Amino acid sequence: YPQYSRTTTGSSLAEWKRQLQLARWDPPAQVVHDYHDDPAYIASVAGAVAEQLARFPRPDAVHLVFCAHSVPVSVIKAGDPYQKQIERTVELVLTTGKWPNRSSLCYQSKVGPMQWLRPMMRETLEKLGHEKVEAVLMIPISFVSDHLETLYEIDIEHREIAHQCGISQYRMAPGLNDAPPFIAALAGLVRKAVSPQLAAGAGR
């Protein structure tokens, strides 16, 4: 997860630690809690956005819609950094890309009756349709690999909603998946995380 939330990274790390305790195994480990502002990661996202923008007939007329998985507002109020990190990632990608395009940030995958981060993706598409926007590029900014919430929720379900709203050109930027720039970014994060450990070992 590029951005940290106790609902995602936090719960995954908790389960990892639980399994290690069950196995009575305590290996040395370094944890990368987030990389929402890592320059190499930001560059890989900006490159993916630029590649998809170039496929539109008029790239400068495309509205960029950054979409992130929503979380309950109560989680954010309790001090979770997720929302601020999402917003920072979007800011850095836009600064890196230097596109003239208008942009929006929205959220998806709300479940249950409690208050979640908004605006939701459907609300954003309906608003853009009302504004007569004809072309949008959906950018899943909290996901780095394609799965149900990108391939179906964004690329199929919300594509249909967009067309119903009068948005005729709809494209989703695929997840970074195994794109070489992204893999290089991950490798850099690993090297940075383990470098103090390696330096300590070399000094012995």
Side-chain angles (χ1 to χ4, degrees):
Y1 308 102
Q3 302 86 15
Y4 180 90
S5 173
R6 65 176 177 83
T7 64
T8 51
T9 306
S11 62
S12 297
L13 289 174
E15 176 61 17
W16 174 61
K17 292 176 183 177
R18 188 180 76 86
Q19 292 295 332
L20 289 180
Q21 289 173 351
L22 288 174
R24 296 182 179 178
W25 185 35
D26 186 23
Q30 300 294 324
V31 176
V32 178
H33 288 91
D34 68 82
Y35 50 96
H36 71 283
D37 58 355
D38 176 71
Y41 159 68
I42 295 296
S44 67
V45 177
V49 172
E51 181 180 344
Q52 295 302 315
L53 268 178
R55 300 186 180 188
F56 283 88
R58 288 189 54 205
D60 61 331
V62 178
H63 193 103
L64 306 178
V65 180
F66 292 87
C67 38
H69 196 294
S70 191
V71 299
V73 171
S74 59
V75 172
I76 301 301
K77 288 183 176 180
D80 196 284
Y82 178 76
Q83 183 181 16
K84 288 184 178 180
Q85 290 191 358
I86 286 286
E87 293 172 353
R88 180 58 175 160
T89 299
V90 171
E91 177 187 1
L92 290 172
V93 170
L94 290 173
T95 300
T96 300
K98 298 180 181 178
W99 304 289
N101 308 62
R102 292 176 58 207
S103 65
S104 300
L105 170 61
C106 62
Y107 296 90
Q108 66 184 101
S109 306
K110 175 185 181 297
V111 293
M114 68 180 67
Q115 185 180 5
W116 287 53
L117 291 177
R118 296 177 64 182
M120 301 307 293
M121 194 187 310
R122 183 185 189 116
E123 296 170 337
T124 297
L125 292 174
E126 289 174 347
K127 179 176 180 290
L128 293 177
H130 182 72
E131 295 173 356
K132 306 301 181 184
V133 171
E134 297 181 355
V136 299
L137 173 61
M138 308 298 290
I139 306 160
I141 200 62
S142 65
F143 302 120
V144 293
S145 60
D146 284 315
H147 55 296
L148 183 66
E149 289 171 282
T150 59
L151 299 177
Y152 178 74
E153 188 175 352
I154 299 177
D155 208 24
I156 295 178
E157 188 176 47
H158 281 82
R159 178 186 297 275
E160 183 176 343
I161 292 171
H163 288 166
Q164 292 171 357
C165 293
I167 299 171
S168 58
Q169 299 174 52
Y170 182 99
R171 181 178 290 275
M172 182 190 76
L176 297 173
N177 298 311
D178 61 350
F182 176 57
I183 299 303
L186 293 182
L189 290 165
V190 172
R191 292 190 186 98
K192 184 178 179 180
V194 302
S195 60
Q197 191 176 33
L198 293 176
R204 293 195 184 102

